[in-house]
Amino acid sequence: VQLQASGGGLVQAGDSLRLSCTASGRTYSSHVMSWFRQAPGKEREFVAAIRWGSERTYYADSVKGRFTISRDRAKNTVNLQMDSLKFEDTAVYYCARGQAYGTGPNDYANWGQGTQVTVSS
């Protein structure tokens, strides 16, 4: 499977961005789709996840209340709506797909290529 992420860009603090990730192959109800991010010099960290079948969502504390993850079954796409962006949200954002929910990169077998999000203060 290939994951294609898009939607990154340069915005000001307080602005919004919407990231999308489309999977080339079929996504099953058992799959979990997630977003991670990695800032320069830092480890890749969990941002949000959604169970494809139940649409149950999970968020890192740092983005809770500002980011919303959703999925579009018909388009085989997972979206990340990012509102009230902060300077510290600046990072490369990656989408990932796994067989079970987890917050570590090793929990996910398939990864997209990453999309840059830059928030100016």
Side-chain angles (χ1 to χ4, degrees), residues 31-36 46-52 54-60 63 67-71 78-80 96-98 100-104 108:
H31 282 131
V32 176
M33 299 291 292
S34 295
W35 288 95
F36 284 74
F46 171 78
V47 174
I50 185 167
R51 294 187 182 274
W52 195 257
S54 68
E55 294 189 270
R56 182 177 178 179
T57 58
Y58 307 85
Y59 296 95
V63 306
F67 290 11
T68 303
I69 189 170
S70 62
R71 65 110 167 98
V78 60
N79 301 304
L80 185 68
R97 192 179 81 173
Y101 168 64
T103 59
Y108 297 87

Side-chain angles (χ1 to χ4, degrees), residues 1 3 8-9 15 64 78 80 83 95 98 112 115:
V1 65
L3 303 177
D15 285 351
K64 201 171 293 184
V78 60
L80 185 68
D83 298 321
C95 60
T115 184

Side-chain angles (χ1 to χ4, degrees), residues 37-43 90-92 116-117:
R37 65 187 181 187
Q38 188 166 18
K42 295 187 177 182
E43 294 186 351
T90 296
V92 177
Q116 177 70 46
V117 173

